[in-house]
Amino acid sequence: MTGKDSVVLVDKDTVPQIMATGEKGAPTVTLATVESQPNKAVERGKAMRQVVAAFVANLGTINTGLIFGFSAVVIPQLQAADSLIPVDESQSSWVASLSAIGTPIGCLLSGYVMDNFGRKKALIATQIPTIIGWIIIACASNVGMIYAGRVLTGFGSGMVGAPARVYTSEVTQPHLRGMLCALASTGISLGVLIQYTLGAFTTWKFLSGVSVIVPVAALILMWLMPETPNYLVSKQKPEKARRSLARLRGSSYNIDREVEQLQAFAAKTNASGKKKLSLRETVQALLHPSCLKPFAILTIYFMMYQFSGVNTITFYAVEIFRDSGTKMDKNTCTILLGVVRLIFTIVGAILLRRCGRRPLTFISGIGCGLTMVGLGLYLYFKHKWDTAVPPIEPTATWIPVACIFIFITTCTVGFLIVPWVMIGELYPMKVRGLVGGFTTCMAHSFVFIVVKTYPFLTHVLERHGTFILYGCFSFVGTIFFYLCLPETKGKTLQEIEDYFSGRTKSLNKPKAGIVGQQENDGQQMLLTNGAKPAVLSPEKNKLLP
């Protein structure tokens, strides 16, 4: 090579940028592996196909929101003097919390079904008990039937949690994954809003009948969706994986490359094989650091997040507004609360892609702590005013309403999104479904504990003491998150698994722009005027937004 000649060796599927040459024909080194604009279609499949698949997979999470919001509107109706099925305070707490008893069982079963029968079949199966449960509640003639229906709907809710998130994370590409994984949280918030709104104008029986529409639609539409390519590759079905990717990415996408990447990673982690993992192999995988470390982090995350009081507010919203002393209509406040939750779930999904997991978690931890302590202090003074002789008229009744709304705002952008998204990110491929089920099981166990103990705590600590306790949990959780929660924004699933396995020491990005820096996989090389090859970054790695 002489004069101004230069040769660029690149992968055939990428288009290099033109290199400028300096004086005396010496080439100026540029990032030749940066793809040109027209070639992005090769690296990114059809976005709409992935959005549709993720939306259908997360339809069942709307039902979870319906279950969460149901007790907030049904309990005041059941406690009314003209109720067809009158209940006392103890029975009301069971109506609220029994759905969370069935949920952990569904979570555990979903992991087994997901890993052995596929993500798609798990999402189909989860709708059946939910449909039956809503029908039983709609036809209930005594409180026992309501109990049974709540357990069944909770069981179905537990089954849908992990499969929806794992399916979404496996069918979407990295630039869409973070935002689409947050659809689950958006679906829950939408379901809560639907129940709050309809419950203000209709009877609980009619509400139950309407609620059955969602799982029926989810069951029918999920039949039309493909299985995830990750699962098919792990079961040594590459041809089916190619057909699945063709439906999810489109004809212009380099399907073979992604299948080869999935096969290579499955081989590296021993996640592929025709025979199922034995009991011993499964236990070994579950006890491996790549599984135990993220499981411990997410379990503590869910505990702190639930004990921040979010589901106490969700399940007892009408009652809490009634007892706060506000002069606003309690049903209007509840509907507005559902609207705020839905809006900020969408905002949180967008921020998740831009800000990452840790900053949003810190916003939730600090915001929830401050607002719960603020609400508790106001209720403390209100208790003093109510017990004074003569009673004192409460003032500044907007304060508890503001605390509740700011609480939901800050909680939604982080706590209600981040840990659920991380279920699909942190766990190793070969036990992702199983341990994802364990994690959602733990999450909903904490839901049951918090919702069931709320009436007890209000008797022991009074309402103000209960909310101050929730605020303290949020502050303690923030310290834990600062010390232990990893940032997975911009990381591939493979990088995350390598980190927890100990194969890499950090998830921090290496400094870019240094020519000659070597990567392990898929490098592209730039040769300049007889110089040794300089290794640049590989083709666009799959990054978690």
Side-chain angles (χ1 to χ4, degrees):
M1 296 170 61
T2 59
K4 295 184 180 181
D5 293 335
S6 62
V7 178
V8 180
L9 301 181
V10 297
D11 185 88
K12 64 182 180 180
D13 292 315
T14 61
V15 179
Q17 289 183 337
I18 297 175
M19 293 176 54
T21 56
E23 295 179 1
K24 299 181 181 179
T28 301
V29 178
T30 61
L31 292 178
T33 54
V34 177
E35 292 170 293
S36 64
Q37 189 71 22
N39 203 45
K40 286 186 177 179
V42 177
E43 297 301 327
R44 294 185 175 184
K46 301 289 186 182
M48 184 53 65
R49 297 188 182 198
Q50 298 171 64
V51 170
V52 170
F55 176 78
V56 172
N58 285 281
L59 270 179
T61 63
I62 298 177
N63 183 71
T64 301
L66 297 177
I67 296 166
F68 282 6
F70 184 72
S71 63
V73 295
V74 70
I75 288 175
Q77 293 186 27
L78 292 174
Q79 291 177 336
D82 58 348
S83 172
L84 296 175
I85 306 176
V87 297
D88 55 29
E89 183 177 349
S90 175
Q91 289 172 320
S92 297
S93 71
W94 282 112
V95 170
S97 62
L98 268 177
S99 63
I101 282 186
T103 302
I105 303 171
C107 294
L108 294 175
L109 183 60
S110 73
Y112 174 82
V113 173
M114 199 175 7
D115 280 343
N116 290 277
F117 300 99
R119 284 61 163 139
K120 175 180 176 178
K121 290 181 180 177
L123 284 168
I124 292 172
T126 186
Q127 311 304 332
I128 298 172
T130 306
I131 293 170
I132 296 172
W134 282 122
I135 292 174
I136 290 175
I137 295 175
C139 300
S141 57
N142 55 67
V143 72
M145 292 182 70
I146 298 177
Y147 288 166
R150 290 287 283 171
V151 171
L152 281 173
T153 54
F155 177 73
S157 171
M159 284 191 70
V160 79
R165 292 167 176 89
V166 171
Y167 184 94
T168 303
S169 69
E170 291 184 351
V171 301
T172 56
Q173 290 184 281
H175 64 288
L176 297 171
R177 184 178 295 133
M179 185 168 58
L180 292 181
C181 280
L183 276 176
S185 299
T186 306
I188 293 172
S189 296
L190 178 60
V192 170
L193 175 59
I194 291 172
Q195 294 293 62
Y196 285 174
T197 304
L198 294 180
F201 308 105
T202 63
T203 65
W204 60 269
K205 280 182 170 286
F206 178 80
L207 199 59
S208 304
V210 172
S211 298
V212 80
I213 296 173
V214 173
V216 169
L219 187 151
I220 294 171
L221 292 175
M222 199 61 216
W223 275 108
L224 307 176
M225 295 294 107
E227 181 56 85
T228 72
N230 301 58
Y231 175 80
L232 294 170
V233 166
S234 73
K235 298 303 178 182
Q236 292 193 344
K237 299 177 180 178
E239 289 305 318
K240 288 187 177 180
R242 285 185 176 87
R243 290 197 293 270
S244 173
L245 279 171
R247 294 180 61 186
L248 293 166
R249 306 285 191 264
S251 58
S252 62
Y253 182 74
N254 192 334
I255 293 171
D256 288 336
R257 174 183 293 175
E258 183 163 348
V259 171
E260 289 168 4
Q261 290 172 343
L262 292 172
Q263 288 176 315
F265 187 73
K268 183 173 88 170
T269 58
N270 298 316
S272 62
K274 290 184 179 179
K275 71 174 186 177
K276 299 176 182 177
L277 290 177
S278 65
L279 178 61
R280 181 178 179 181
E281 290 171 332
T282 301
V283 172
Q284 287 177 340
L286 291 174
L287 296 179
H288 193 273
S290 65
C291 183
L292 276 183
K293 290 178 184 178
F295 179 72
I297 290 171
L298 285 181
T299 298
I300 296 174
Y301 196 133
F302 277 112
M303 181 181 72
M304 294 299 181
Y305 139 50
Q306 290 299 339
F307 277 92
S308 72
V310 58
N311 278 312
T312 297
I313 299 293
T314 303
F315 280 66
Y316 294 100
V318 175
E319 181 180 331
I320 290 172
F321 278 120
R322 182 190 64 200
D323 296 336
S324 69
T326 180
K327 299 185 186 307
M328 295 177 63
D329 178 70
K330 60 184 184 297
N331 287 316
T332 302
C333 287
T334 304
I335 293 171
L336 291 175
L337 190 69
V339 172
V340 169
R341 174 171 171 154
L342 177 61
I343 291 172
F344 279 91
T345 302
I346 298 171
V347 171
I350 297 170
L351 291 177
L352 188 71
R353 185 175 183 181
R354 296 179 177 272
C355 303
R357 284 59 167 159
R358 282 171 60 88
L360 295 183
T361 298
F362 298 152
I363 290 172
S364 287
I366 296 171
C368 290
L370 291 174
T371 51
M372 282 292 98
V373 170
L375 177 61
L377 290 175
Y378 181 88
L379 292 179
Y380 170 77
F381 287 108
K382 181 179 181 297
H383 176 71
K384 292 293 185 182
W385 297 333
D386 291 342
T387 55
V389 180
I392 301 173
E393 182 71 19
T395 60
T397 56
W398 58 269
I399 291 178
V401 176
C403 286
I404 293 172
F405 274 84
I406 297 172
F407 170 83
I408 286 295
T409 299
T410 56
C411 183
T412 300
V413 297
F415 283 173
L416 264 64
I417 297 176
V418 172
W420 297 108
V421 170
M422 294 184 94
I423 287 178
E425 294 179 350
L426 298 191
Y427 294 127
M429 173 63 203
K430 58 184 174 182
V431 288
R432 186 173 296 157
L434 185 60
V435 75
F438 285 152
T439 307
T440 52
C441 172
M442 295 302 298
H444 288 286
S445 296
F446 294 133
V447 173
F448 171 75
I449 294 170
V450 171
V451 174
K452 181 58 182 169
T453 58
Y454 172 70
F456 169 76
L457 288 175
T458 57
H459 285 296
V460 175
L461 302 176
E462 300 291 346
R463 290 195 191 278
H464 59 269
T466 302
F467 289 119
I468 291 174
L469 177 65
Y470 290 157
C472 292
F473 266 105
S474 293
F475 288 136
V476 173
T478 303
I479 298 172
F480 168 79
F481 301 140
Y482 179 79
L483 296 174
C484 301
L485 186 70
E487 180 56 77
T488 57
K489 178 180 180 291
K491 302 296 179 286
T492 68
L493 297 178
Q494 292 87 341
E495 286 174 334
I496 296 169
E497 185 170 339
D498 286 342
Y499 168 72
F500 283 115
S501 299
R503 292 190 284 266
T504 58
K505 298 298 183 182
S506 174
L507 276 173
N508 294 330
K509 287 185 178 180
K511 292 182 179 179
I514 301 175
V515 178
Q517 178 182 1
Q518 296 195 356
E519 301 280 346
N520 289 327
D521 304 307
Q523 296 96 337
Q524 295 178 9
M525 296 181 295
L526 170 66
L527 297 183
T528 61
N529 218 17
K532 291 183 180 180
V535 183
L536 297 180
S537 60
E539 61 163 10
K540 276 188 176 178
N541 201 0
K542 291 191 167 184
L543 302 180
L544 291 169

